[in-house]
């Protein structure tokens, strides 16, 4: 019986960077990548010190890394201010009148904040925080729509050393209550409401509901966004715009220790109870800065658009901190991709001349499902670089993205990382790495990633195993907030000294990393361990299929049977014949062992609010049971009941 995760899906397409792109790129060849990467893992401190030196420090660090596994201190002895690096240093220089944030609201309003204006807003609001007794080290909840003030609030916290915890605006009152209790937050920054798919999300109302009974929260600051009616609790709640009348924009930079906490972010929780991932200041900023610079290969005139919400780590690192640290112009859009029509994103790219576009595979699959005609209406020729993050991208979705959105000319960076890693860890460099659809390719500089077997031994090419990181990196989580024991146990106990990512993966003969799914989701079919992502990709490669999720179900003979949940493209009919075709299709692509025993057609799949399929729930349904686990992070509860009904 084999104990390694097997891999059967073969992807032979290789797409090289164009000569034109490579010529202008920071890293323009594989030889350069390999040379710098080899040196950087031999001596990570040297590489990271070089990157950190490009930032502004109050006092320089004494040591780059102090590592007492599994606790790291990066740039120890140094002091730094994130807001100064993301805003002031540009506002003081030639970028003062360059756009920092270009924003579009869902109803269509447009605003632009230059670096000079952003600096003023951040200083004003930092003074509002101080006036409301928020002090260094205090935890502050940010529960806002995707408006510039969300970034202003984050940067203002960073400026004064308050620790922000952003909660995605789609979360409920209960989720807010849990996160406040866990973090001990004393202040909440919110808005009256925000726009989503044409309606108003009652943010302030949810905050009110979260604050009933005992709470640590003393102050709620409310930004007026949607003008919906809200309750103001005298003595607790204040309006953002009124507070501005009492402050000036004079807020001198104070430098914080490099290891001072910058933020807590609760994980999306596709695997259960949310954890408060703690990130600190200097190391996080250095890696956010360096990865954005090299991987998006930013140029002065780029209009860079990361579609993530600030409620996710992607929104922290690649909508706010990374691009602003680089002095980039960031596009920010408040609402849904299909409002008022499924071409909203393409309209934005055309209207603003977006050059770099970074989104998630789940969104790409939705675009494919909605149909090419929505893309065809728009001129996307301003784009020069595309990115993806969040899940393995199915090769067929990759090809569509490349052809239809990138016009066949834009490199795609498939970036692998986690809330816990803080910044990108594995990714192509767009001017250097020949890419293959479906793989995040190779580790970033300074990152020592490997695939190991259950004994912690590195495996050879094309053998599946567990993805680990063998050396600390600057933007790594420092702990789970308030639970060092859980931090050690979750990430560092299986193989001492190695960080356990929780992902199953293999490396191909070129050393490229292929993520096959979360280890918890790996199937064991008649002694074969199969990752979910390859079977899903095989299904998605069929022209009728929009999206697929594969889970195991107890099977007396095989140990586990393969069950697939499939959504179809617009216009396709769920028939018994198609079901049989899809089974044969998987058999041909991967092998008989992976043929689904059951295929359920569904209208939609259950996802976390960050767009990840919740296989845990599907597993419970496939096993014939009720859904018992934590469903608080689920995007749309009605999907669950629909799935169950269809099975009945
Ligand atoms: C998990 C982390 C990182 C920001 C968004 C998600 C999966 C992420 C990729 C990718 C294959 C990926 C992994 C990882 N994942 N990016 N490019 N290819 N899988 O953050 O919610 O902390 O999730 O997302 O399974 O462990 P997160």
């Amino acid at each position: 019986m084999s104990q390694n995760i097997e891999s059967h899906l073969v992807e032979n397409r290789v797409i090289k960077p164009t000569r034109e792109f490579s010529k202008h790129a920071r890293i323009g060849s594989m030889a350069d990548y390999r040379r710098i990467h080899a040196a950087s893992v031999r001596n990570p401190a040297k590489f990271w010190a070089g990157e950190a030196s490009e930032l502004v420090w109050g006092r320089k660090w004494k040591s780059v890394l102090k590592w007492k596994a599994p606790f790291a201190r990066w740039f120890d002895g140094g002091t730094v201010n994130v807001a100064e690096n993301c805003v002031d240093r540009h506002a003081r220089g030639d970028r003062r009148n360059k756009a920092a944030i270009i924003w579009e609201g869902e109803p269509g309003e447009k605003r632009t904040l230059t670096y000079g204006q952003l600096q003023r807003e951040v200083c004003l609001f930092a003074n509002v925080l101080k006036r409301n007794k928020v002090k260094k080290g205090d935890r502050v909840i940010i529960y806002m729509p995707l408006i510039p003030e969300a970034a202003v609030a984050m940067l203002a916290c960073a400026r004064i050393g308050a620790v922000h915890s952003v909660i995605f605006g789609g979360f409920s009152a209960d989720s807010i209550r849990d996160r406040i209790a866990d973090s001990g937050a004393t202040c909440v920054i919110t808005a009256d409401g925000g726009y989503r798919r044409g309606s108003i999300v009652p943010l302030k109302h949810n905050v009110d509901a979260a604050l009933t009974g005992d709470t640590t929260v003393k102050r709620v600051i409310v930004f007026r966004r949607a003008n919906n009616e809200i309750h103001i609790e005298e003595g607790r709640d204040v309006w953002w715009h009124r507070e501005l009348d009492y402050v000036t924009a004079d807020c001198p930079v104070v430098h914080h220790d490099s290891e001072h906490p910058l933020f807590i972010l609760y994980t999306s929780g596709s695997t259960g109870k949310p954890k408060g991932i703690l990130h600190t200041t200097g190391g996080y900023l250095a890696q956010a800065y360096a990865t954005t610079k090299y991987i998006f290969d930013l140029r002065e005139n780029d209009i860079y658009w990361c579609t993530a919400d600030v409620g996710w780590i992607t929104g922290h690192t690649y909508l706010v901190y990374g691009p602003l640290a680089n002095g980039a112009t960031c596009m920010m859009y408040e609402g849904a991709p299909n409002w008022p029509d499924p071409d909203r994103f393409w309209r934005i790219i055309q209207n603003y001349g977006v050059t770099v576009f970074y989104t998630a595979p789940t969104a790409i699959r939705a675009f494919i499902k909605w149909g090419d005609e929505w893309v065809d209406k728009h001129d996307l020729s301003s784009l020069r670089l595309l990115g993806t993050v969040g899940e393995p991208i199915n090769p067929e979705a990759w090809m569509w993205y490349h052809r239809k959105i990138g016009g066949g000319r834009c490199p795609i960076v498939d970036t692998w990382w986690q809330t816990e890693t803080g910044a990108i860890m594995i990714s192509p460099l767009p001017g250097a790495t020949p890419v293959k659809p479906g793989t995040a390719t190779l580790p970033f500089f300074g990152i020592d990633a490997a695939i190991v077997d259950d004994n912690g031994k590195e495996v050879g090419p094309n053998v599946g195993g567990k993805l680990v990181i063998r050396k600390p990196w600057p933007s790594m989580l420092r702990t789970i907030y308030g639970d060092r024991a859980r931090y050690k146990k979750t990430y560092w106990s299986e193989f001492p000294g190695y960080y356990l990512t929780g992902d199953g993966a293999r490396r191909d003969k070129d050393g490229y990393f292929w993520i096959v799914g979360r280890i918890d989701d790996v199937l064991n079919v008649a002694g074969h361990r199969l990752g979910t992502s390859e079977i899903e990709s095989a299904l998605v490669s069929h022209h009728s299929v929009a999206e697929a999720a594969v889970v195991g179900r107890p099977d007396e003979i095989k140990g586990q049977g393969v069950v697939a949940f499939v959504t179809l493209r617009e216009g396709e009919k769920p028939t018994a014949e198609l079901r049989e075709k899809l089974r044969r299709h998987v058999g041909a692509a991967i092998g008989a062992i992976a043929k689904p025993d059951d295929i359920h057609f569904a209208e939609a799949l259950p996802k976390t609010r960050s767009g990840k399929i919740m296989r845990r729930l599907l597993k419970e349904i496939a096993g014939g049971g009720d859904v018992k686990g934590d469903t608080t992070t689920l995007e749309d509860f009605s999907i669950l009941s629909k799935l169950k009904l269809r099975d009945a």
Side-chain angles (χ1 to χ4, degrees), residues 268 313-314 390-392 414-419 503 518 612:
S268 57
I313 190 68
T314 309
E391 288 175 282
D414 174 347
T415 62
W416 179 91
W417 57 297
Q418 308 176 298
T419 305
D503 282 357
R518 299 289 298 170
K612 280 200 213 315

Side-chain angles (χ1 to χ4, degrees), residues 234-254:
E234 285 305 325
R236 186 194 70 188
D237 303 350
V238 294
W239 283 106
W240 176 308
H241 62 272
R242 294 235 177 105
E243 287 298 296
L244 291 182
D245 290 341
Y246 301 103
V247 295
T248 69
D250 182 25
C251 182
V253 167
V254 179

Side-chain angles (χ1 to χ4, degrees), residues 68-85:
K68 258 176 76 188
F71 297 100
R73 296 185 68 82
W74 282 89
F75 307 109
D76 202 47
T79 63
V80 63
N81 189 293
V82 167
E84 179 182 33
N85 276 285

Side-chain angles (χ1 to χ4, degrees), residues 619-642:
K619 210 165 153 178
E620 288 168 11
I621 294 171
D626 268 341
V627 175
K628 290 181 288 285
D630 181 3
T631 55
T632 53
T633 58
L634 187 68
E635 181 194 33
D636 177 1
F637 287 98
S638 66
I639 287 170
L640 273 189
S641 52
K642 277 185 212 148

